[in-house]
Amino acid sequence: SPPFLRGGVVEGQLVLVDFGAAKVATAAALQHTGTTIGSPEYVAPEQARGRAVFASDIYSLGVTCVHLLTRMSPFDLYDIREDVWAWRQHLKHPISDGLGRILDKMLEMATNRRYQSATEVLRDLHPQAPPSTAAKPPSPPAKSPPVT
């Protein structure tokens, strides 16, 4: 029998975390001030104040990542007394320091300290190796002209 987690999900199985944005919204509702789409625990602070920017989606993706890594509600991963994310202590499996720094930058409260695009996140996830400083291999010797 496979090991089950909360909700009947089999361990190791991928699951969709949030259907909040899938609610029915008419064009008129979307133009109405105060219309919200999504779940509050994944919403960037500036988006909650009606000032969403491209980096707001990066924040929500970071929240989704820490939810998947910890299997805990984002509301339980944010320490409101200290005003910081406290997700590392709830990891189910260790992650690299590099990935931890990337997630922390995705979760920055200030948009100017957060990644501004998915391209920036990918650049840090897959850094390019610096160009090689090793000397090029020697060229093959030139062929001498045929003797006639």
Side-chain angles (χ1 to χ4, degrees), residues 9 11 16 23 41 61 63-64 67 70 75 89 91 100 102-104 114 124 134 136-138:
V9 176
E11 186 171 348
L16 184 59
K23 76 178 185 180
E41 57 199 319
L61 177 59
V63 175
T64 301
H67 177 147
T70 62
F75 284 146
Q89 66 203 40
L91 287 172
I102 289 169
L103 291 170
D104 285 339
R114 195 181 308 150
D124 280 357
K136 288 184 175 179

Side-chain angles (χ1 to χ4, degrees), residues 42-49 51 53-64 66 78 82-88 99-117 120-121 124:
Y42 298 92
V43 174
E46 69 280 1
Q47 188 171 2
R49 292 187 294 273
R51 305 263 190 247
V53 295
F54 288 118
S56 303
D57 288 339
I58 301 296
Y59 179 93
S60 297
L61 177 59
V63 175
T64 301
V66 297
Y78 191 80
E82 298 295 325
D83 197 28
V84 295
W85 282 95
W87 57 271
R88 279 186 172 85
L99 180 56
R101 282 190 298 275
I102 289 169
L103 291 170
D104 285 339
K105 188 170 179 177
M106 293 173 79
L107 295 169
E108 279 285 353
M109 292 301 206
T111 57
N112 64 336
R113 290 193 308 260
R114 195 181 308 150
Y115 288 107
Q116 300 302 303
S117 70
E120 289 182 13
V121 178
D124 280 357

Side-chain angles (χ1 to χ4, degrees), residues 16-26 30 35-43 47 57 60 64:
L16 184 59
V17 176
D18 186 32
F19 280 105
K23 76 178 185 180
V24 176
T26 65
L30 290 175
T35 298
T36 305
I37 295 180
S39 298
E41 57 199 319
Y42 298 92
V43 174
Q47 188 171 2
D57 288 339
S60 297
T64 301

